[in-house]
Amino acid sequence: MGTNRRLRDLLLLAAALVLSASTSSAADFQYCNKGRHYPVKVSGVEIVPDPVVRGQPATFKISASTDKSIVKGKLVVDVTYFIFHVHSETHDFCSGTPCPASGEFVLASEQTLPSFTPPGSYSLQMKLLGENNEELTCISFGFSIGFIAPVAII
């Protein structure tokens, strides 16, 4: 009886580890202009969950750093599906990140995509503009929207 319980506990732990590993991932990103030296350096992009699930919240976390002090700015996000521009939005930088921002910081944006959003591969471009609309950084990365919603394991 004790062996069966131990085996069951190990299987549950393994399942939990597999599920947690598949719910977020670090995305590869590229700077929009590879030859440009942006004042804000991006060190990573995390997407939770990955793939994104239609009708459920998805969080995009961008880890960055700068030696400037950013007191005001805006985040401009553009999303494309294949070659089609499908979404654009602008956020006040200081509403999602404590200002003034300097050193290391994280930009986080949470979105809930409508349930009718087509599954597949998308591209997101994010620009951070300073108080005088100067481009502080610009990156792009891909993300996927799953074909089916995950089923809870009980």
Side-chain angles (χ1 to χ4, degrees):
M1 176 111 167
T3 305
N4 287 341
R5 183 177 177 159
R6 183 176 293 179
L7 179 60
R8 183 196 66 180
D9 290 345
L10 285 172
L11 288 173
L12 286 174
L13 177 62
L17 289 172
V18 167
L19 288 174
S20 67
S22 65
T23 59
S24 74
S25 73
D28 291 332
F29 68 92
Q30 301 81 35
Y31 285 102
C32 300
N33 184 341
K34 292 177 178 61
R36 184 163 179 196
H37 297 285
Y38 293 104
V40 173
K41 307 292 185 222
V42 174
S43 58
V45 174
E46 182 182 9
I47 304 168
V48 180
D50 188 18
V52 172
V53 178
R54 297 174 286 176
Q56 295 184 12
T59 304
F60 298 90
K61 296 179 183 177
I62 294 124
S63 301
S65 64
T66 185
D67 56 0
K68 291 181 69 163
S69 179
I70 305 170
V71 295
K72 185 178 178 185
K74 61 185 173 183
L75 197 60
V76 179
V77 177
D78 289 301
V79 180
T80 56
Y81 181 61
F82 295 106
I83 61 169
F84 303 104
H85 183 266
V86 295
H87 183 72
S88 185
E89 61 187 50
T90 302
H91 299 277
D92 176 33
F93 172 74
C94 296
S95 68
T97 302
C99 284
S102 62
E104 294 183 2
F105 60 92
V106 174
L107 299 165
S109 177
E110 183 176 279
Q111 302 292 318
T112 300
L113 300 173
S115 59
F116 58 82
T117 304
S121 297
Y122 288 75
S123 295
L124 185 144
Q125 182 184 72
M126 187 236 26
K127 288 182 186 179
L128 176 57
L129 305 176
E131 64 182 315
N132 297 319
N133 279 335
E134 73 274 17
E135 198 170 83
L136 301 178
T137 199
C138 180
I139 62 167
S140 64
F141 57 91
F143 68 97
S144 295
I145 296 178
F147 285 91
I148 58 173
V151 177
I153 297 175
I154 299 176

